[in-house]
DNA sequence: CGATGAATGCTTGTATGCTAGGATACCATG
DNA sequence: CATGGTATCCTAGCATACAAGCATTCATCG
């Protein structure tokens, strides 16, 4: 009763993701809420509450939470509660290392295999990113950022690497959402993207490697101050 | 009724894994059955049958299947059925690349950080592996193999890499189970392990890298003939 | 005889009731 | 007043009932 009544407003959101199962929809919604820091690290989640919010039963919510627990985005304590995971600094560092390693390893293949089609694709993504930047659309900016890195992997002939990087980088994404970075920062990141693409197209591997390495390092430099500023969002460990 | 009656025999198996939740137990059992090829690629699974076998309800079985689907070990077709995934050659190649890349990237750190304690640990695992080899205990052999690679990553200061490699390498493991390799093959692999440990201890990075690279390459060499011999176990893609 | 369609039995997806256990607040007792 | 026990409310885990969809099969009609 209360369930259906409360959920009516959210029904539209769910409907926007139709085509997939309810579980998949709920999973996406909760995941986005966590990564976008709408749901804060450490916050308690209730299967019942979530079910009410999304106007579904506990089952799909529960199944979505299981998947999120596998990704490390939530922690389930039996008979006690479910909580949004705090950000582990160690995890962030390690994920960055993994990502850097895999993307660098793929880069030589990308340089080798890049053709006119790949270049068009990359240029188009860069253009989209510039648009997003000028319109101040952060969400869209991050989306194009993902597109770029994924496309580079695909051009390198390693499409399966992305899902691994993607699921591992959830914590990284939350860090990225923290400071609502100033436009200047975004501009710098995009300039680096542009440089990487140029180097890859020009088949200048060492230069591309150097920029990519520096590019992924930036997220880490911002970590320490953020940890001091938002201590509640990080785990002690 | 029929459920509980049938399940009585399996109850002992489940009990052996007590301490974790039922869902986790069922997950482990099904996963092992898939990786060990007890459940064959392409085979249809039924939530009801599995629930009956393990003497539990559909719920924990279903939740375990969701997790296995995320790992790519099963494929769920809504309102139709759940199937053990066929082995994707592309996946196997890519996973090997990922694994090789990450382990190689960690190796310099391992060489740098290795100490007496780490060496003892590695030597002990090698000894266990030799035991397993002489007793012909394949399962134990693979377990020690995992121990060795994981320990190398831990010594390198990258413990979080293992879960990623581990979940990604499920397909690889199934390939490894296919030919029931002759003891000579095992012996060769173990000799390489031993060589890697020696080189790491001696802090001879290039030598260690070369052996590790060759070591992980072997699984790939065996792929083609296996694909021809067991075409039903591989996906077309 | 062939083709079409309805019925049936399977599947997974969702909803809901029930169980076991922990945390807390309150009341009784020393 | 302090302290301990108990009752209650919360949680997630599990079992079960119901709903929806696909595939096959069998019967009926052309």
């Amino acid at each position: 009763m209360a369930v259906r009544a409360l959920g009516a407003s959210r029904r539209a959101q769910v409907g926007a993701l139709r085509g997939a199962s309810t579980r998949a929809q709920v999973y996406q919604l909760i995941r986005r809420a966590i990564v976008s820091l709408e749901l804060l690290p450490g916050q308690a989640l209730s299967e019942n509450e979530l079910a009410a919010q999304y106007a579904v039963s506990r089952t799909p919510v529960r199944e979505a939470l299981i998947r999120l627990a596998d990704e490390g985005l939530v922690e389930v304590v039996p008979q006690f509660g479910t909580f949004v995971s705090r950000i582990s600094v160690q995890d962030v560092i390690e994920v960055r290392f993994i990502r850097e390693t895999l993307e660098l390893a793929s880069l030589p293949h990308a340089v080798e295999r890049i053709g006119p089609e790949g270049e068009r694709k990359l240029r188009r993504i860069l253009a989209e990113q510039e648009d997003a930047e000028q319109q101040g659309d952060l969400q869209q900016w991050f989306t194009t950022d993902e597109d770029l890195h994924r496309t580079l992997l695909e051009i390198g002939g390693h499409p399966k690497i992305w899902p691994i990087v993607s699921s591992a980088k959830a914590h990284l994404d939350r860090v990225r959402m923290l400071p609502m970075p100033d436009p200047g920062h975004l501009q710098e990141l995009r300039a680096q993207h542009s440089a990487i693409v140029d180097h890859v197209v020009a088949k200048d591997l060492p230069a591309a490697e150097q920029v990519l390495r520096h590019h992924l390092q930036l997220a880490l430099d911002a970590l320490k101050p953020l940890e001091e500023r938002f201590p509640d969002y990080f785990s002690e460990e």
Side-chain angles (χ1 to χ4, degrees), chain A residues 11-30:
Chain A
R11 205 39 170 166
Q13 291 187 32
V14 175
L17 292 169
R18 73 180 172 281
S21 68
T22 301
R23 166 176 76 244
Q25 299 166 22
V26 171
Y27 164 79
Q28 286 290 348
L29 289 171
I30 299 178

Side-chain angles (χ1 to χ4, degrees), chain A residues 30-225:
Chain A
I30 299 178
R31 191 183 199 280
R32 287 180 194 174
I34 293 176
V35 173
S36 70
L37 296 179
E38 186 182 335
L39 296 174
L40 297 178
Q43 179 174 346
L45 299 179
S46 162
E47 292 182 358
N48 281 315
E49 276 184 31
L50 291 170
Q53 281 186 359
Y54 298 127
V56 296
S57 79
R58 274 182 56 209
T59 303
V61 170
R62 186 180 163 67
E63 294 174 349
L65 287 178
I66 289 172
R67 195 169 164 189
L68 290 168
D70 285 340
E71 286 187 70
L73 281 178
V74 306
E75 285 167 17
V76 177
V77 183
Q79 330 306 18
F80 181 57
T82 303
F83 306 88
V84 178
S85 299
R86 293 178 197 277
I87 301 171
S88 157
V89 175
Q90 184 59 36
D91 274 17
V92 171
I93 293 174
E94 195 118 328
V95 166
R96 193 203 63 91
F97 174 79
I98 291 168
R99 184 173 171 178
E100 176 181 309
T101 299
L102 291 176
E103 297 199 8
L104 282 177
S106 169
L107 208 49
H109 301 137
V111 167
E112 192 177 324
R113 298 165 37 130
I114 182 100
E117 186 188 355
E119 182 176 357
R120 266 200 307 277
K121 210 167 177 178
L122 291 174
R123 299 283 183 204
R124 183 175 50 72
I125 294 173
L126 282 176
E128 287 176 10
Q129 191 163 55
E130 193 171 356
D131 283 354
E133 185 182 321
Q134 289 179 351
Q135 294 177 14
D137 187 341
L138 267 178
Q139 205 59 48
Q140 180 61 18
W141 196 93
F142 287 135
T143 300
T144 58
D145 182 57
E146 295 205 348
D147 286 344
L148 188 80
H149 285 271
R150 186 179 59 246
T151 301
L152 276 172
L153 287 173
E154 285 169 0
I155 291 175
H158 298 287
K160 306 280 175 142
I161 289 182
W162 178 251
I164 293 175
V165 169
S166 180
S167 83
K169 80 186 178 56
H171 287 81
L172 251 175
D173 287 340
R174 287 199 290 181
V175 172
R176 215 160 52 157
M177 292 301 289
L178 272 184
M180 282 297 178
D182 51 347
H185 190 215
L186 285 187
Q187 202 171 348
E188 182 183 353
L189 289 178
R190 192 175 51 76
Q192 291 178 350
H193 280 167
S194 190
I196 292 173
V197 170
D198 287 341
H199 291 320
V200 169
V201 170
K203 299 190 185 299
D204 182 352
L205 183 58
E209 281 179 344
Q210 192 195 344
V211 177
L212 178 57
R213 203 182 293 271
H214 182 58
H215 178 62
L216 292 174
Q217 177 71 33
L218 279 188
L220 225 55
D221 294 338
L223 198 54
K224 267 276 164 50

